[in-house]
Each structure stands twice: as structure tokens, then as C-alpha cells.
């Protein structure tokens, strides 16, 4: 059982089968609490407080169409890396570093967003937001290639 809240945790475990039981071993993990995002709501604060930490968010896509994920750096010295997972597919739709990404969801449902720092040794603050539309700059600048379709 983990203690309440996110952060660095020490876990203890042992391996046991019909013939052998190992000694107790331990490891340190970083546990993050998942935060729910409201589509087209206010940005929520995020923090990469420990090296190689990952923050998790969820949002509900009530209809198919374009959704924009937006991160804005605070004290984080590098861009965020965004990974998006569909409601019935745990394969990431994007692996790359961006501060904004437009994604077309093909199935309504609960989506998961994983955020980390582009440089694994970087820590600091940022904000995270999801908007239920494609921003005007995508089509006006001709950069629709940034848009990706998310597996449902």
C-alpha cells in the first residue's frame, strides 16, 4: 500500500513461487496522482519535481473532432513531452516534444495524457490545458501536419 499523495515512494517486494522465496528488496519510484482536465476549462498547474517524473491527466472527449493539448512552461527549462492514449487503446498517439498539439479523436470517451520533460534531468513548473477545438492558427498557418489522429 502506498502512502497518500504523489511523489517519491519506496516500495518493498519479494518474489515467491512453489520452490523459492527471495529476500525482501526495495526500490524507489515516483508516483503521480492523475488530474482531471475540463475540456476548454482553465489551465491547471503541473510540476516535474523529481528527475524523470511523469504527470498524468485525463479528459473526456464527449464528441469526435479536434482537441488541442496545450502546455506552457513556467520554471521548467525544457519543453514538455506529450503522450496521448485513446479510451480503448493504450498505445500512445504522439511521441515527441511539443508545447501544443492538435489531435482528432475518432471515439468519444476518456483519454489519458502523460507529460514529462524533454530532457529527463529537467525539473520545474508548467501548466496544462485541453481545448475542444482546433485553434485558428493551425489552418491559417498551413500547419495541419501537426494534427494527428488518435486511435480509439
Amino acid at each position: 500500500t502506498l502512502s497518500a499523495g504523489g511523489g517519491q515512494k519506496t516500495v518493498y517486494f519479494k518474489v515467491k513461487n512453489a520452490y523459492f522465496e527471495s529476500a525482501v528488496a526495495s526500490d524507489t519510484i515516483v508516483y503521480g496522482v492523475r488530474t482531471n482536465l475540463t475540456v476548454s476549462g482553465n489551465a491547471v498547474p503541473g510540476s516535474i519535481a523529481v528527475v524523470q517524473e511523469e504527470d498524468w491527466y485525463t479528459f473526456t472527449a464527449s464528441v469526435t473532432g479536434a482537441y488541442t493539448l496545450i502546455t506552457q512552461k513556467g520554471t521548467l527549462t525544457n519543453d514538455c513531452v506529450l503522450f496521448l492514449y485513446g479510451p480503448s487503446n493504450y498505445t500512445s498517439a504522439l511521441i515527441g516534444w511539443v508545447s501544443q498539439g492538435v489531435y482528432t479523436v475518432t471515439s468519444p470517451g476518456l483519454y489519458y495524457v502523460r507529460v514529462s520533460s524533454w530532457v529527463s534531468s529537467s525539473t520545474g513548473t508548467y501548466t496544462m490545458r485541453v481545448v475542444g477545438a482546433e485553434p485558428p492558427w493551425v489552418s491559417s498557418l498551413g500547419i495541419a501536419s501537426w494534427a494527428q489522429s488518435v486511435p480509439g
Side-chain angles (χ1 to χ4, degrees), residues 89-110:
N89 186 335
Y90 295 104
T91 303
S92 174
L94 170 75
I95 301 177
W97 53 92
V98 294
S99 58
Q100 297 188 101
V102 180
Y103 308 96
T104 301
V105 299
T106 57
S107 300
L110 184 65

Side-chain angles (χ1 to χ4, degrees), residues 8 14 17 20 31 36 49 78 90 94 107-108 117 143:
Q8 193 166 345
K14 61 182 172 178
N17 65 23
F20 174 79
Y31 176 73
N36 186 50
N78 295 286
Y90 295 104
L94 170 75
S107 300
S117 173
I143 54 174

Side-chain angles (χ1 to χ4, degrees), residues 2-3 5-11 27-32 49-51 53:
L2 294 177
S3 57
Q8 193 166 345
K9 310 283 183 180
T10 301
V11 292
D27 196 3
T28 301
I29 63 170
V30 176
Y31 176 73
V50 180
V51 171
E53 178 180 352

Side-chain angles (χ1 to χ4, degrees), residues 43-57:
V44 298
S47 175
I48 305 294
V50 180
V51 171
Q52 296 184 340
E53 178 180 352
E54 297 175 338
D55 292 343
W56 284 87
Y57 298 89

Side-chain angles (χ1 to χ4, degrees), residues 65-148:
Y67 288 81
T68 304
L69 301 175
I70 304 166
T71 60
Q72 184 171 348
K73 293 187 296 185
T75 61
L76 190 63
T77 55
N78 295 286
D79 283 337
C80 293
V81 181
L82 299 174
F83 302 85
L84 182 63
Y85 301 85
S88 60
N89 186 335
Y90 295 104
T91 303
S92 174
L94 170 75
I95 301 177
W97 53 92
V98 294
S99 58
Q100 297 188 101
V102 180
Y103 308 96
T104 301
V105 299
T106 57
S107 300
L110 184 65
Y111 284 78
Y112 297 85
V113 181
R114 180 168 48 117
V115 179
S116 62
S117 173
W118 176 57
V119 175
S120 63
S121 61
S122 179
T123 60
T125 61
Y126 65 93
T127 60
M128 177 71 203
R129 183 173 186 229
V130 61
V131 178
E134 182 177 284
W137 55 261
V138 171
S139 55
S140 67
L141 296 178
I143 54 174
S145 61
W146 285 18
Q148 291 192 12

